[in-house]
Short mmCIF file of all heavy atoms in Angstrom, two decimals:
data_model
loop_
_atom_site.label_atom_id
_atom_site.label_comp_id
_atom_site.label_asym_id
_atom_site.label_seq_id
_atom_site.Cartn_x
_atom_site.Cartn_y
_atom_site.Cartn_z
N GLN B 168 2.12 -7.57 -12.31
CA GLN B 168 1.06 -6.83 -12.86
C GLN B 168 1.26 -6.45 -14.25
O GLN B 168 2.44 -6.18 -14.69
CB GLN B 168 0.80 -5.56 -12.09
CG GLN B 168 0.21 -5.72 -10.77
CD GLN B 168 -0.14 -4.45 -10.00
OE1 GLN B 168 0.42 -4.04 -8.99
NE2 GLN B 168 -1.07 -3.65 -10.61
N SER B 169 0.19 -6.61 -15.12
CA SER B 169 0.35 -6.28 -16.50
C SER B 169 -0.89 -5.68 -17.06
O SER B 169 -2.00 -6.03 -16.59
CB SER B 169 0.84 -7.45 -17.36
OG SER B 169 -0.20 -8.36 -17.40
N PRO B 170 -0.85 -4.69 -18.06
CA PRO B 170 0.33 -4.12 -18.47
C PRO B 170 0.90 -3.02 -17.61
O PRO B 170 0.24 -2.72 -16.51
CB PRO B 170 -0.05 -3.46 -19.89
CG PRO B 170 -1.47 -3.08 -19.60
CD PRO B 170 -2.01 -4.19 -18.77
N LYS B 171 1.95 -2.44 -17.79
CA LYS B 171 2.56 -1.40 -16.99
C LYS B 171 1.97 -0.12 -17.21
O LYS B 171 1.61 0.66 -16.34
CB LYS B 171 4.10 -1.23 -17.29
CG LYS B 171 4.78 -0.35 -16.23
CD LYS B 171 6.22 -0.51 -16.30
CE LYS B 171 7.01 0.38 -15.27
NZ LYS B 171 8.42 0.17 -15.30
N TYR B 172 1.49 0.15 -18.50
CA TYR B 172 0.72 1.31 -18.88
C TYR B 172 -0.48 0.79 -19.76
O TYR B 172 -0.36 -0.04 -20.56
CB TYR B 172 1.63 2.31 -19.80
CG TYR B 172 2.77 2.80 -19.02
CD1 TYR B 172 4.07 2.13 -19.18
CD2 TYR B 172 2.68 3.90 -18.18
CE1 TYR B 172 5.16 2.70 -18.42
CE2 TYR B 172 3.82 4.47 -17.44
CZ TYR B 172 4.93 3.76 -17.60
OH TYR B 172 6.18 4.27 -17.03
N LEU B 173 -1.54 1.57 -19.52
CA LEU B 173 -2.90 1.18 -20.27
C LEU B 173 -3.62 2.38 -20.42
O LEU B 173 -3.74 3.27 -19.70
CB LEU B 173 -3.55 0.17 -19.39
CG LEU B 173 -4.92 -0.36 -20.00
CD1 LEU B 173 -4.53 -1.26 -21.18
CD2 LEU B 173 -5.51 -1.36 -18.97
N PHE B 174 -4.16 2.43 -21.81
CA PHE B 174 -4.85 3.67 -22.22
C PHE B 174 -6.26 3.08 -22.55
O PHE B 174 -6.48 2.08 -23.18
CB PHE B 174 -4.13 4.27 -23.49
CG PHE B 174 -2.89 4.76 -23.09
CD1 PHE B 174 -1.76 3.98 -23.32
CD2 PHE B 174 -2.64 6.06 -22.56
CE1 PHE B 174 -0.42 4.54 -22.99
CE2 PHE B 174 -1.49 6.59 -22.31
CZ PHE B 174 -0.34 5.79 -22.41
N ARG B 175 -7.21 3.84 -22.12
CA ARG B 175 -8.68 3.46 -22.39
C ARG B 175 -9.38 4.53 -23.03
O ARG B 175 -9.19 5.85 -22.70
CB ARG B 175 -9.29 3.13 -21.07
CG ARG B 175 -10.70 2.45 -21.03
CD ARG B 175 -11.32 2.48 -19.79
NE ARG B 175 -12.23 3.59 -19.64
CZ ARG B 175 -13.07 3.72 -18.71
NH1 ARG B 175 -13.24 2.73 -17.72
NH2 ARG B 175 -13.82 4.86 -18.54
N LYS B 176 -10.13 4.22 -23.96
CA LYS B 176 -11.14 5.21 -24.71
C LYS B 176 -12.35 5.32 -23.68
O LYS B 176 -12.70 4.37 -23.00
CB LYS B 176 -11.51 4.76 -25.89
CG LYS B 176 -10.39 4.74 -27.04
CD LYS B 176 -10.98 4.28 -28.39
CE LYS B 176 -9.78 4.23 -29.38
NZ LYS B 176 -10.28 3.76 -30.68
N GLU B 177 -13.02 6.44 -23.85
CA GLU B 177 -14.22 6.70 -22.92
C GLU B 177 -15.17 5.55 -23.40
O GLU B 177 -15.32 5.21 -24.55
CB GLU B 177 -14.72 8.05 -23.14
CG GLU B 177 -13.81 9.04 -22.77
CD GLU B 177 -14.42 10.16 -21.90
OE1 GLU B 177 -15.66 10.02 -21.56
OE2 GLU B 177 -13.82 11.14 -21.56
N GLY B 178 -15.90 4.98 -22.43
CA GLY B 178 -16.96 3.96 -22.61
C GLY B 178 -16.50 2.60 -22.86
O GLY B 178 -17.26 1.66 -22.99
N GLN B 179 -15.18 2.43 -22.66
CA GLN B 179 -14.55 1.11 -22.80
C GLN B 179 -14.29 0.43 -21.48
O GLN B 179 -13.92 1.11 -20.52
CB GLN B 179 -13.23 1.30 -23.54
CG GLN B 179 -12.82 0.31 -24.56
CD GLN B 179 -11.50 0.58 -25.29
OE1 GLN B 179 -10.79 1.22 -24.73
NE2 GLN B 179 -11.46 0.07 -26.40
N ASN B 180 -14.40 -0.90 -21.33
CA ASN B 180 -13.98 -1.59 -20.26
C ASN B 180 -12.54 -1.99 -20.46
O ASN B 180 -12.14 -2.44 -21.64
CB ASN B 180 -14.78 -2.89 -20.03
CG ASN B 180 -16.30 -2.54 -19.65
OD1 ASN B 180 -16.57 -1.39 -19.36
ND2 ASN B 180 -17.00 -3.60 -19.50
N VAL B 181 -11.70 -2.02 -19.45
CA VAL B 181 -10.43 -2.60 -19.62
C VAL B 181 -10.14 -3.49 -18.29
O VAL B 181 -10.62 -3.23 -17.28
CB VAL B 181 -9.30 -1.54 -19.62
CG1 VAL B 181 -9.27 -0.80 -20.98
CG2 VAL B 181 -9.43 -0.61 -18.42
N THR B 182 -9.23 -4.52 -18.56
CA THR B 182 -8.89 -5.46 -17.53
C THR B 182 -7.42 -5.40 -17.19
O THR B 182 -6.59 -5.52 -18.09
CB THR B 182 -9.29 -6.81 -17.87
OG1 THR B 182 -10.71 -6.85 -18.10
CG2 THR B 182 -8.93 -7.88 -16.65
N LEU B 183 -7.18 -5.24 -15.91
CA LEU B 183 -5.86 -5.28 -15.37
C LEU B 183 -5.56 -6.59 -14.80
O LEU B 183 -6.24 -7.15 -13.98
CB LEU B 183 -5.65 -4.11 -14.42
CG LEU B 183 -5.50 -2.70 -14.74
CD1 LEU B 183 -6.78 -2.19 -15.50
CD2 LEU B 183 -5.37 -1.83 -13.60
N SER B 184 -4.35 -7.12 -15.14
CA SER B 184 -3.91 -8.46 -14.69
C SER B 184 -3.10 -8.34 -13.37
O SER B 184 -2.22 -7.46 -13.23
CB SER B 184 -3.13 -9.07 -15.87
OG SER B 184 -2.44 -10.27 -15.28
N CYS B 185 -3.31 -9.43 -12.62
CA CYS B 185 -2.43 -9.53 -11.25
C CYS B 185 -2.27 -10.98 -11.13
O CYS B 185 -3.15 -11.73 -10.94
CB CYS B 185 -3.08 -8.90 -10.17
SG CYS B 185 -2.10 -9.15 -8.63
N GLU B 186 -1.05 -11.40 -11.19
CA GLU B 186 -0.68 -12.91 -10.84
C GLU B 186 0.36 -12.92 -9.72
O GLU B 186 1.20 -12.09 -9.76
CB GLU B 186 -0.10 -13.56 -12.09
CG GLU B 186 -1.05 -13.36 -13.46
CD GLU B 186 -2.03 -14.40 -13.47
OE1 GLU B 186 -1.71 -15.57 -12.94
OE2 GLU B 186 -3.15 -14.06 -14.06
N GLN B 187 0.08 -13.88 -8.89
CA GLN B 187 1.13 -14.13 -7.77
C GLN B 187 1.54 -15.55 -7.67
O GLN B 187 0.68 -16.47 -7.86
CB GLN B 187 0.65 -13.56 -6.33
CG GLN B 187 -0.75 -14.02 -5.99
CD GLN B 187 -0.63 -15.23 -4.92
OE1 GLN B 187 0.51 -15.62 -4.58
NE2 GLN B 187 -1.73 -15.58 -4.41
N ASN B 188 2.85 -15.75 -7.38
CA ASN B 188 3.33 -17.02 -7.22
C ASN B 188 3.81 -17.32 -5.77
O ASN B 188 4.74 -18.05 -5.61
CB ASN B 188 4.37 -17.54 -8.28
CG ASN B 188 5.59 -16.57 -8.14
OD1 ASN B 188 5.63 -15.69 -7.29
ND2 ASN B 188 6.43 -16.69 -8.96
N LEU B 189 3.24 -16.58 -4.84
CA LEU B 189 3.69 -16.57 -3.35
C LEU B 189 2.79 -17.53 -2.65
O LEU B 189 3.08 -17.74 -1.40
CB LEU B 189 3.54 -15.24 -2.85
CG LEU B 189 4.53 -14.12 -3.46
CD1 LEU B 189 3.94 -12.74 -3.01
CD2 LEU B 189 5.81 -14.39 -3.11
N ASN B 190 1.87 -18.29 -3.26
CA ASN B 190 0.89 -19.16 -2.57
C ASN B 190 0.12 -18.41 -1.42
O ASN B 190 -0.23 -19.05 -0.51
CB ASN B 190 1.67 -20.32 -2.01
CG ASN B 190 0.69 -21.55 -1.72
OD1 ASN B 190 -0.24 -21.74 -2.46
ND2 ASN B 190 0.97 -22.34 -0.61
N HIS B 191 -0.15 -17.14 -1.67
CA HIS B 191 -0.81 -16.39 -0.75
C HIS B 191 -2.45 -16.56 -0.98
O HIS B 191 -2.82 -16.55 -2.11
CB HIS B 191 -0.66 -14.89 -0.89
CG HIS B 191 0.74 -14.53 -0.30
ND1 HIS B 191 1.18 -13.18 -0.47
CD2 HIS B 191 1.60 -15.28 0.55
CE1 HIS B 191 2.32 -13.11 0.23
NE2 HIS B 191 2.65 -14.40 0.69
N ASP B 192 -3.16 -16.58 0.03
CA ASP B 192 -4.60 -16.73 -0.10
C ASP B 192 -5.24 -15.47 -0.33
O ASP B 192 -6.24 -15.38 -1.08
CB ASP B 192 -5.24 -17.25 1.33
CG ASP B 192 -4.99 -18.77 1.38
OD1 ASP B 192 -5.07 -19.54 0.46
OD2 ASP B 192 -4.80 -19.23 2.55
N ALA B 193 -4.73 -14.44 0.19
CA ALA B 193 -5.48 -13.11 0.07
C ALA B 193 -4.88 -12.13 -0.92
O ALA B 193 -3.62 -12.09 -1.06
CB ALA B 193 -5.41 -12.40 1.55
N MET B 194 -5.68 -11.56 -1.71
CA MET B 194 -5.26 -10.56 -2.75
C MET B 194 -6.13 -9.35 -2.54
O MET B 194 -7.26 -9.33 -2.22
CB MET B 194 -5.31 -11.25 -4.11
CG MET B 194 -4.38 -12.34 -4.25
SD MET B 194 -4.31 -13.05 -5.89
CE MET B 194 -3.19 -11.84 -6.79
N TYR B 195 -5.55 -8.25 -3.00
CA TYR B 195 -6.09 -6.83 -2.87
C TYR B 195 -5.76 -6.06 -4.13
O TYR B 195 -4.89 -6.29 -4.82
CB TYR B 195 -5.48 -6.17 -1.74
CG TYR B 195 -5.29 -6.89 -0.37
CD1 TYR B 195 -4.39 -7.76 -0.26
CD2 TYR B 195 -6.18 -6.71 0.60
CE1 TYR B 195 -4.30 -8.58 0.99
CE2 TYR B 195 -6.04 -7.33 1.83
CZ TYR B 195 -5.10 -8.30 1.96
OH TYR B 195 -5.00 -9.01 3.08
N TRP B 196 -6.84 -5.18 -4.49
CA TRP B 196 -6.61 -4.03 -5.41
C TRP B 196 -6.69 -2.85 -4.75
O TRP B 196 -7.71 -2.47 -3.96
CB TRP B 196 -7.60 -4.23 -6.54
CG TRP B 196 -7.15 -5.18 -7.71
CD1 TRP B 196 -7.65 -6.42 -7.90
CD2 TRP B 196 -6.17 -4.87 -8.65
NE1 TRP B 196 -6.97 -6.88 -8.94
CE2 TRP B 196 -6.10 -6.03 -9.44
CE3 TRP B 196 -5.32 -3.81 -8.99
CZ2 TRP B 196 -5.22 -6.08 -10.56
CZ3 TRP B 196 -4.45 -3.79 -9.98
CH2 TRP B 196 -4.36 -5.06 -10.87
N TYR B 197 -5.72 -1.88 -4.99
CA TYR B 197 -5.68 -0.57 -4.56
C TYR B 197 -5.62 0.44 -5.64
O TYR B 197 -5.04 0.14 -6.76
CB TYR B 197 -4.50 -0.34 -3.52
CG TYR B 197 -4.46 -1.05 -2.31
CD1 TYR B 197 -3.90 -2.12 -2.22
CD2 TYR B 197 -5.18 -0.50 -1.15
CE1 TYR B 197 -3.96 -2.92 -0.95
CE2 TYR B 197 -5.19 -1.20 -0.01
CZ TYR B 197 -4.52 -2.37 0.18
OH TYR B 197 -4.54 -3.03 1.37
N ARG B 198 -6.18 1.54 -5.38
CA ARG B 198 -5.99 2.64 -6.28
C ARG B 198 -5.23 3.76 -5.66
O ARG B 198 -5.40 4.16 -4.40
CB ARG B 198 -7.40 3.13 -6.68
CG ARG B 198 -7.30 4.46 -7.48
CD ARG B 198 -8.75 4.95 -7.88
NE ARG B 198 -8.55 6.33 -8.35
CZ ARG B 198 -9.34 6.78 -9.36
NH1 ARG B 198 -10.28 5.93 -9.97
NH2 ARG B 198 -9.27 7.99 -9.77
N GLN B 199 -4.15 4.33 -6.30
CA GLN B 199 -3.25 5.30 -5.73
C GLN B 199 -3.43 6.67 -6.54
O GLN B 199 -3.12 6.62 -7.72
CB GLN B 199 -1.81 4.86 -5.81
CG GLN B 199 -0.72 5.79 -5.14
CD GLN B 199 0.66 5.27 -5.04
OE1 GLN B 199 0.91 4.46 -5.83
NE2 GLN B 199 1.42 5.86 -4.19
N ASP B 200 -3.88 7.59 -5.87
CA ASP B 200 -3.99 8.97 -6.51
C ASP B 200 -3.09 9.86 -5.74
O ASP B 200 -2.88 9.69 -4.45
CB ASP B 200 -5.44 9.44 -6.45
CG ASP B 200 -6.38 8.71 -7.23
OD1 ASP B 200 -6.28 8.92 -8.49
OD2 ASP B 200 -7.09 7.90 -6.72
N PRO B 201 -2.48 11.01 -6.36
CA PRO B 201 -1.54 11.94 -5.63
C PRO B 201 -2.23 12.52 -4.43
O PRO B 201 -3.30 12.99 -4.47
CB PRO B 201 -1.27 12.93 -6.75
CG PRO B 201 -1.58 12.22 -7.95
CD PRO B 201 -2.70 11.27 -7.76
N GLY B 202 -1.46 12.45 -3.44
CA GLY B 202 -2.04 13.12 -2.08
C GLY B 202 -3.06 12.26 -1.26
O GLY B 202 -3.52 12.81 -0.42
N GLN B 203 -3.55 11.15 -1.84
CA GLN B 203 -4.55 10.38 -1.11
C GLN B 203 -4.07 8.98 -0.62
O GLN B 203 -4.84 8.30 -0.23
CB GLN B 203 -5.73 10.26 -2.11
CG GLN B 203 -6.44 11.61 -2.41
CD GLN B 203 -7.70 11.32 -3.17
OE1 GLN B 203 -8.57 10.47 -2.55
NE2 GLN B 203 -8.02 11.94 -4.18
N GLY B 204 -2.94 8.67 -0.93
CA GLY B 204 -2.46 7.37 -0.46
C GLY B 204 -3.16 6.23 -1.27
O GLY B 204 -3.67 6.48 -2.28
N LEU B 205 -3.15 5.02 -0.65
CA LEU B 205 -3.80 3.95 -1.24
C LEU B 205 -5.32 3.66 -0.82
O LEU B 205 -5.50 3.78 0.42
CB LEU B 205 -3.06 2.67 -1.02
CG LEU B 205 -1.77 2.32 -1.88
CD1 LEU B 205 -0.69 3.39 -1.49
CD2 LEU B 205 -1.24 1.00 -1.51
#
Side-chain angles (χ1 to χ4, degrees):
Chain B
Q168 289 187 241
S169 61
K171 193 167 183 177
Y172 299 96
L173 186 59
F174 298 92
R175 191 192 91 168
K176 292 181 182 178
E177 297 230 5
Q179 216 176 31
N180 292 355
V181 289
T182 297
L183 284 60
S184 169
C185 177
E186 305 277 330
Q187 54 101 357
N188 61 2
L189 298 166
N190 201 33
H191 285 173
D192 282 324
M194 296 186 75
Y195 311 78
W196 273 106
Y197 291 93
R198 171 180 170 140
Q199 185 178 16
D200 293 285
Q203 294 192 50
L205 280 69

